[in-house]
Structure formats: C-alpha cells, structure tokens
Amino acid sequence: MQRYEFFLYFCRMKSIIAGPCSVESEEQVLKTAEFLATKTAVTTMRAGVWKPRSRPGGFEGHGEKALQWLKSAKEIYKLSIATEVATPEHVELCLKYGIDTVWIGARTTGNPFLVQKIADSLVGSNLMVMVKNPLIPDWALWLGAIERMETSVIANVIAVHRGFGTSRHSQFRNSPMWEIPNEIKTRRPEVPMYCDPSHIAGRTDLVFLVAQRALDMAMDGLMIEIHPDAKHALTDGFQQLSFEEFEHLISELAKENACDEHRPLKRMRAIIDDLDEEIISALAKRLKIVDEIGDYKRQNDMLALQPERWKKLLKKRLELGKRHDLNEDFLVGLWTAIHSESLRRQET
Ligand code: PEP
Ligand code: MN
C-alpha cells in the first residue's frame, strides 16, 4: 500500500476528528476545511465557537457569527462539523446552522444540572453527541453525563478522554489517568471511546506519544487540534499542530499501527506500565521519608536498624497482602529488599 493510501485507510479505520481549538476567522476555518477535505481522509472538522476560559478577558469565541463560517465550510468542502455546547441556547443555534456533532466540554460535564438541561434541549434532534470527561477524575460523573445524553439523543453518544486536572506530577497539561477511561470501557464496552491527545499533552511534541498510547488502549478514535498558524492562535497555541505536523503524526501512527495483532496484550501492557510508574513514584516518596527518619535517628543517637519496628511492619504488610491474595514468600522477599535499601540509605 502506498503511503498516501495508507494514510487515508488509517484515518477511516480509526475515526479522526481534527480542527482548530477555536474558530478565529472565516479564512482560518476555510483553510483548515480545505486542507482536511483535500489532503486527508478526515471527514469531521472540530472547532469551538464558544470558548470557556479560566479567567475573564481572553478570547471567548465569535459565537453565532462563527457558526455561519462553519456552515460555509461544511457546504463548500462537504465536511461534517463538530463544536462545543455549554447551554440549551447553544444547542438551538447549532441546530439552526446545521452543525452535525456537538461536544460537552470538560467544564460542563462536571455539572449534572447543566448536563441535564442540555440533554433536555437535545430531545428529538439527531445531533451526534460527544461527552468529554469532567476535570475531576470521577468516572461516575462522566458516565452519568453520558447516560443523561443517551436518554435524549437517537444517534450514538461518544465518550472523549481529554485528561484530568490533578496535582499529580506529570509532563502533561492534563493527567491522562488511563484507568478512568478504562473503567468506562469496562462498564460500557459498546460506548465508543475517543481520545483528545491535544488537551492531554498541552504541547505539540507530546501529542504523538499520547495518541499512540490511546491506540494501544484500543480507543476508537482521536480528536486532534490543528491550526494553519498555531503560533498566533488565540487559544491553546502550544498544542495545536500545523497541517504538516498533522500529516506527519497520522503517517507515523499509521506506520506504528500497521499490524493490529496482539492489541489486547498491548492494552494490558500499557496499564502495567502505568502501574509500574505509580509503584516507582510511591517507592521514591517512601525513600524520601526514610532519609528524614535517618536524619532524626542520627540526631537522637538511635541505630538505623530497629528490630521491633521491622518485625511489626513486616507482620502488618503480610496481613494486608493476604487480604489481597498475594503470595507470602513474594511479599517477604519484596519487603526485605525495600527494608535493606532503607537501612542502606540511613547508614550512608
Ligand atoms: C476544546 O476542545 O477546545 C476544549 C475547550 O475542550 P475541553 O472541554 O476538553 O477543555
Ligand atoms: Mn482547545
């Protein structure tokens, strides 16, 4: 298969939605639509016309005027259009301008009152609805919003994983916490799950990593932010890919995922990688406290090895392990190793 054909094939196989974070001008929208329609196999363009900003005073979107520009792009380039809605009035305007898909943004999903109002305003429409995860890592709140939408719309409701605002140290703008979309996937395997690597990554150079990971997790599609002139974007400038970067990203993903074999194994390994990361970070935290204990013992003329404490600690860990069905010999070996490292650090 030729590179370009492969690129087309990949875009269809995994649904890919792309477009700018915000609609900034008619020219920007038409340029993006032309690129998608002529150079890629993407059939849905995303673009926000109402932008929820953390602080007032920034660019908050062109609103209804921008819907008219999206309508033109749809008519000229035959693309399906997706935009964010946060109120029933937004839904009404989207229906008026022939928008095909609406998404509920992360800041809205966290508010069940608002989600219900939007769901009520969707009754009888055939809009496709995407529900982004809420900012807090609460799978029930996310699933609740999906369920509210499901009772109102006939078309499929799609979940979109865009990461979570947490204090966990992470290189990403929003922590992916893959276990949360995984929980939704386990409970509702028939609900399509897309990933928005742009908002998770927060930086163009990390988008590939997150997108690849989403495919390893067997997600059903991607929503990616692209912009004809990202440096001058009015919102989310650091994470929007140029057209060339987007083409490169898709062809790299196509290469990496050419062989779909052993996908369940890849998915399980991806979860193991996350858990190992957590174990290492917990071990590092533990050893930092151990260093402080070492200083305390030195200042108070105490020996590093305190046999009574070690005996009690091991007994408690074995009891806990037993409750989780863990093998006792394994735990003795593991905690002996951890304890030896703790002693070594206190003695040096
Ligand atoms: C967006 O998609 O541009 C957006 C604002 O998304 P989120 O609600 O995920 O922050
Ligand atoms: Mn954005």
Side-chain angles (χ1 to χ4, degrees):
M1 207 184 283
Q2 292 303 307
R3 181 184 167 275
Y4 189 64
E5 282 175 342
F6 198 12
F7 175 62
L8 295 180
Y9 165 74
F10 180 74
C11 289
R12 292 213 177 92
M13 187 184 69
K14 286 277 167 202
S15 287
I16 294 181
I17 295 178
C21 178
S22 312
V23 175
E24 296 168 5
S25 67
E26 183 167 25
E27 190 201 354
Q28 171 228 22
V29 163
L30 293 179
K31 254 191 194 166
T32 311
E34 184 196 12
F35 163 70
L36 292 175
T38 59
K39 297 273 173 39
T40 80
V42 172
T43 55
T44 302
M45 178 169 75
R46 62 141 286 152
V49 303
W50 297 284
K51 298 308 297 178
R53 308 306 302 276
S54 300
R55 301 185 63 200
F59 174 64
E60 292 184 337
H62 286 302
E64 188 170 353
K65 190 165 61 171
L67 289 176
Q68 179 56 54
W69 300 335
L70 288 175
K71 189 166 185 260
S72 305
K74 173 180 165 131
E75 285 164 3
I76 301 170
Y77 295 105
K78 312 283 173 253
L79 289 169
S80 155
I81 305 290
T83 199
E84 174 173 352
V85 291
T87 67
E89 293 72 34
H90 292 168
V91 172
E92 206 179 299
L93 282 166
C94 285
L95 290 169
K96 180 173 161 193
Y97 286 90
I99 298 296
D100 306 278
T101 300
V102 292
W103 79 80
I104 313 297
R107 290 154 192 82
T108 308
T109 307
N111 182 343
F113 291 126
L114 206 44
V115 169
Q116 190 58 55
K117 276 194 184 162
I118 298 170
D120 293 344
S121 74
L122 284 163
V123 173
S125 84
N126 56 1
L127 279 170
M128 179 91 113
V129 179
M130 304 182 113
V131 182
K132 290 209 175 189
N133 66 254
L135 294 174
I136 59 164
D138 178 346
W139 64 261
L141 192 58
W142 189 9
L143 188 55
I146 294 168
E147 288 164 347
R148 287 177 203 277
M149 292 300 151
E150 283 174 335
T151 58
S152 294
V153 294
I154 312 148
N156 274 350
V157 176
I158 295 172
V160 182
H161 171 228
R162 51 81 72 206
F164 303 87
T166 70
S167 55
R168 256 200 219 179
H169 174 72
S170 159
Q171 60 181 328
F172 302 122
R173 176 181 178 193
N174 287 291
S175 174
M177 304 178 79
W178 298 98
E179 66 276 17
I180 306 267
N182 200 49
E183 183 73 38
I184 302 273
K185 201 72 203 152
T186 308
R187 288 171 181 267
R188 293 289 309 278
E190 78 287 7
V191 173
M193 174 71 69
Y194 284 28
C195 180
D196 168 352
S198 305
H199 284 89
I200 292 177
R203 279 172 27 196
T204 52
D205 60 325
L206 295 176
V207 172
F208 173 80
L209 190 78
V210 180
Q212 177 55 50
R213 179 61 191 277
L215 298 186
D216 290 345
M217 299 289 285
M219 291 208 179
D220 305 291
L222 300 170
M223 178 194 265
I224 296 174
E225 285 189 342
I226 62 169
H227 194 290
D229 180 17
K231 270 197 206 73
H232 298 104
L234 299 179
T235 55
D236 289 350
F238 294 118
Q239 71 197 28
Q240 301 195 64
L241 303 181
S242 67
F243 296 166
E244 298 70 41
E245 285 169 337
F246 178 70
E247 282 188 277
H248 181 69
L249 171 94
I250 300 297
S251 64
E252 286 300 299
L253 289 175
K255 248 191 274 159
E256 278 292 316
N257 299 279
C259 159
D260 226 24
E261 243 185 297
H262 302 307
R263 196 148 284 284
L265 182 63
K266 270 185 138 182
R267 180 157 174 236
M268 288 183 281
R269 283 184 172 156
I271 296 174
I272 290 281
D273 288 347
D274 267 358
L275 292 172
D276 281 354
E277 212 178 289
E278 277 179 34
I279 291 173
I280 288 186
S281 133
L283 276 176
K285 275 189 213 153
R286 189 188 197 280
L287 289 171
K288 206 157 169 262
I289 301 277
V290 161
D291 290 345
E292 286 171 31
I293 290 181
D295 291 343
Y296 183 92
K297 286 181 182 163
R298 247 189 311 281
Q299 281 155 19
N300 291 278
D301 290 327
M302 294 163 80
L303 287 174
L305 176 63
Q306 301 280 318
E308 276 314 298
R309 160 74 180 158
W310 166 232
K311 235 165 72 187
K312 266 196 218 155
L313 182 152
L314 186 62
K315 185 167 169 272
K316 271 198 182 162
R317 301 302 176 266
L318 294 181
E319 279 165 10
L320 190 60
K322 203 168 169 191
R323 270 188 258 147
H324 289 275
D325 254 349
L326 295 178
N327 177 287
E328 187 170 314
D329 290 342
F330 160 68
L331 281 182
V332 171
L334 186 60
W335 251 271
T336 303
I338 291 174
H339 186 243
S340 313
E341 175 61 5
S342 301
L343 287 179
R344 188 191 66 76
R345 283 173 74 124
Q346 291 180 54
E347 281 160 353
T348 51

